Coordinates of all heavy atoms in Angstrom, one line a residue:
M1 N 58.7 100.8 132.3 CA 58.2 99.7 131.5 C 58.5 98.4 132.2 O 59.4 98.3 132.9 CB 58.9 99.8 130.1 CG 58.3 99.0 129.1 SD 59.0 99.4 127.4 CE 58.7 97.8 126.6
A2 N 57.7 97.4 131.8 CA 57.8 96.1 132.5 C 58.1 95.0 131.4 O 57.9 95.3 130.2 CB 56.6 95.8 133.2
D3 N 58.6 93.9 131.9 CA 58.7 92.8 130.9 C 57.4 92.5 130.2 O 56.3 92.7 130.8 CB 59.2 91.5 131.7 CG 60.6 91.5 132.2 OD1 61.3 92.5 131.8 OD2 61.0 90.6 133.0
T4 N 57.5 92.0 129.0 CA 56.2 91.6 128.3 C 56.0 90.1 128.6 O 56.9 89.3 128.2 CB 56.4 91.9 126.8 OG1 56.7 93.3 126.6 CG2 55.1 91.5 126.0
V5 N 54.9 89.8 129.2 CA 54.7 88.4 129.6 C 53.4 87.9 129.1 O 52.4 88.6 129.2 CB 54.7 88.3 131.2 CG1 54.3 86.9 131.6 CG2 56.0 88.7 131.8
L6 N 53.4 86.7 128.6 CA 52.2 86.0 128.2 C 52.2 84.7 129.0 O 53.2 84.0 129.0 CB 52.2 85.6 126.7 CG 51.1 84.6 126.2 CD1 49.8 85.3 126.3 CD2 51.4 84.1 124.9
N7 N 51.1 84.5 129.8 CA 51.0 83.3 130.7 C 49.6 82.8 130.6 O 48.7 83.5 131.0 CB 51.4 83.8 132.1 CG 51.4 82.6 133.0 OD1 51.9 81.5 132.7 ND2 50.8 82.8 134.2
N8 N 49.4 81.6 130.1 CA 48.1 81.1 130.0 C 48.0 79.6 130.1 O 49.0 78.9 130.0 CB 47.4 81.5 128.7 CG 48.1 81.1 127.4 OD1 49.1 80.4 127.5 ND2 47.6 81.5 126.3
I9 N 46.8 79.1 130.4 CA 46.5 77.7 130.4 C 46.1 77.2 129.1 O 45.2 77.8 128.5 CB 45.5 77.4 131.5 CG1 46.0 77.7 132.9 CG2 45.0 75.9 131.4 CD1 44.9 77.5 134.0
V10 N 46.8 76.2 128.5 CA 46.5 75.7 127.2 C 45.4 74.6 127.3 O 44.6 74.5 126.5 CB 47.8 75.2 126.5 CG1 47.5 74.5 125.2 CG2 48.8 76.3 126.4
F11 N 45.6 73.8 128.4 CA 44.6 72.7 128.6 C 44.5 72.4 130.1 O 45.5 72.5 130.8 CB 45.1 71.4 127.9 CG 44.3 70.2 128.2 CD1 43.1 69.9 127.5 CD2 44.7 69.3 129.2 CE1 42.4 68.8 127.9 CE2 44.0 68.2 129.5 CZ 42.8 68.0 128.9
Q12 N 43.3 72.1 130.5 CA 43.0 71.7 131.9 C 42.0 70.6 131.9 O 40.9 70.8 131.4 CB 42.6 72.9 132.7 CG 42.4 72.5 134.2 CD 42.1 73.6 135.1 OE1 42.1 73.4 136.3 NE2 41.8 74.8 134.6
G13 N 42.4 69.4 132.4 CA 41.5 68.3 132.6 C 41.5 68.0 134.1 O 42.0 68.7 134.9
D14 N 40.9 66.8 134.4 CA 40.8 66.4 135.8 C 42.2 66.1 136.4 O 42.5 66.4 137.5 CB 40.0 65.2 136.0 CG 38.5 65.5 135.9 OD1 38.1 66.7 136.0 OD2 37.7 64.6 135.7
K15 N 43.1 65.6 135.5 CA 44.4 65.2 136.0 C 45.6 66.0 135.4 O 46.6 66.1 136.0 CB 44.7 63.7 135.7 CG 43.7 62.8 136.5 CD 44.0 61.3 136.2 CE 43.0 60.5 137.0 NZ 43.3 59.0 136.9
K16 N 45.4 66.5 134.2 CA 46.5 67.1 133.5 C 46.2 68.6 133.3 O 45.1 69.1 133.2 CB 46.7 66.5 132.2 CG 47.9 67.0 131.4 CD 48.0 66.4 130.0 CE 48.3 64.9 130.1 NZ 48.6 64.3 128.7
L17 N 47.3 69.4 133.4 CA 47.3 70.8 133.2 C 48.5 71.1 132.2 O 49.6 70.7 132.5 CB 47.5 71.6 134.5 CG 47.6 73.1 134.4 CD1 46.3 73.7 134.0 CD2 48.1 73.6 135.8
I18 N 48.2 71.9 131.2 CA 49.3 72.4 130.3 C 49.3 73.9 130.3 O 48.3 74.5 130.1 CB 49.2 71.8 128.9 CG1 49.2 70.3 128.9 CG2 50.3 72.4 128.0 CD1 48.9 69.6 127.6
T19 N 50.5 74.5 130.6 CA 50.7 75.9 130.7 C 51.7 76.4 129.6 O 52.6 75.6 129.3 CB 51.1 76.4 132.1 OG1 52.4 75.8 132.4 CG2 50.1 76.1 133.1
H20 N 51.5 77.6 129.2 CA 52.4 78.2 128.2 C 52.8 79.6 128.8 O 51.9 80.4 129.1 CB 51.7 78.4 126.9 CG 52.6 79.2 125.9 ND1 52.4 80.5 125.7 CD2 53.5 78.8 125.0 CE1 53.3 80.9 124.8 NE2 54.0 79.9 124.3
Y21 N 54.1 79.8 128.9 CA 54.6 81.1 129.4 C 55.7 81.6 128.4 O 56.5 80.9 127.9 CB 55.3 80.8 130.7 CG 56.2 81.9 131.2 CD1 55.7 83.0 132.0 CD2 57.6 81.9 131.0 CE1 56.5 84.0 132.5 CE2 58.4 82.9 131.5 CZ 57.9 83.9 132.2 OH 58.7 84.9 132.7
N22 N 55.6 82.9 128.1 CA 56.5 83.6 127.3 C 56.9 85.0 127.8 O 56.0 85.7 128.3 CB 55.9 83.8 125.9 CG 56.9 84.4 124.9 OD1 57.0 85.6 124.8 ND2 57.8 83.6 124.3
V23 N 58.2 85.3 127.8 CA 58.6 86.6 128.4 C 59.6 87.2 127.4 O 60.5 86.5 126.8 CB 59.2 86.5 129.8 CG1 60.5 85.6 129.8 CG2 59.5 87.8 130.4
V24 N 59.5 88.5 127.3 CA 60.6 89.3 126.6 C 61.0 90.4 127.6 O 60.1 91.2 128.1 CB 60.1 90.0 125.3 CG1 61.2 90.9 124.7 CG2 59.6 89.0 124.3
S25 N 62.2 90.4 128.0 CA 62.7 91.2 129.1 C 62.9 92.7 128.7 O 63.4 92.9 127.6 CB 64.0 90.7 129.7 OG 64.4 91.5 130.8
D26 N 62.7 93.6 129.6 CA 63.0 95.0 129.4 C 64.2 95.4 130.2 O 64.5 96.5 130.4 CB 61.9 95.9 129.7 CG 61.6 95.9 131.2 OD1 62.1 95.1 132.0 OD2 60.9 96.8 131.7
N27 N 64.9 94.4 130.9 CA 66.1 94.6 131.7 C 65.7 94.7 133.2 O 66.6 94.8 134.0 CB 66.9 95.9 131.3 CG 68.3 95.9 131.9 OD1 68.9 94.9 132.0 ND2 68.8 97.1 132.2
A28 N 64.4 94.5 133.5 CA 64.1 94.7 134.9 C 64.0 93.3 135.6 O 64.1 93.2 136.8 CB 62.7 95.4 135.0
G29 N 63.7 92.2 134.9 CA 63.5 91.0 135.5 C 62.1 90.9 136.0 O 61.4 91.9 136.1
S30 N 61.6 89.7 136.3 CA 60.2 89.6 136.7 C 60.0 88.2 137.4 O 60.8 87.3 137.3 CB 59.3 89.7 135.5 OG 59.5 88.6 134.6
T31 N 58.9 88.2 138.2 CA 58.4 86.9 138.8 C 56.9 86.8 138.3 O 56.2 87.7 138.5 CB 58.5 87.0 140.3 OG1 59.8 87.1 140.7 CG2 57.9 85.7 140.9
T32 N 56.6 85.6 137.8 CA 55.2 85.3 137.3 C 54.8 84.0 137.9 O 55.5 83.0 137.9 CB 55.2 85.2 135.8 OG1 55.7 86.4 135.2 CG2 53.8 85.0 135.3
K33 N 53.5 84.0 138.5 CA 52.9 82.8 139.0 C 52.3 82.1 137.8 O 51.4 82.6 137.1 CB 51.8 83.2 140.0 CG 51.2 81.9 140.6 CD 50.0 82.3 141.5 CE 50.5 83.2 142.7 NZ 49.5 83.4 143.7
I34 N 53.0 81.0 137.4 CA 52.5 80.2 136.2 C 51.4 79.2 136.6 O 50.7 78.7 135.7 CB 53.6 79.6 135.3 CG1 54.4 78.6 136.1 CG2 54.5 80.7 134.8 CD1 55.3 77.8 135.2
V35 N 51.4 78.8 137.8 CA 50.3 77.9 138.3 C 49.8 78.4 139.6 O 50.5 78.6 140.6 CB 50.8 76.4 138.5 CG1 49.7 75.6 139.1 CG2 51.4 75.8 137.2
D36 N 48.5 78.7 139.6 CA 47.8 79.2 140.8 C 46.8 78.1 141.1 O 45.7 78.0 140.5 CB 47.1 80.5 140.5 CG 46.3 81.0 141.6 OD1 46.2 80.3 142.7 OD2 45.7 82.1 141.5
V37 N 47.1 77.2 142.1 CA 46.3 76.1 142.3 C 44.9 76.4 142.8 O 44.0 75.7 142.5 CB 46.9 75.1 143.3 CG1 48.2 74.4 142.7 CG2 47.2 75.7 144.6
S38 N 44.8 77.6 143.4 CA 43.4 78.0 143.9 C 42.5 78.3 142.7 O 41.3 78.3 142.9 CB 43.5 79.2 144.8 OG 43.9 80.3 144.1
A39 N 43.0 78.5 141.5 CA 42.2 78.8 140.4 C 41.9 77.6 139.5 O 41.2 77.7 138.5 CB 42.9 79.9 139.5

């Protein structure tokens, strides 16, 4: 099983970006890319 992760963009404009990240761990730990500039 893996951590339960929610990662999304709430708002994106020309200058501002707002992201929301939520995790519930299963004891494994995790790494999540919360900003992917190429996207």
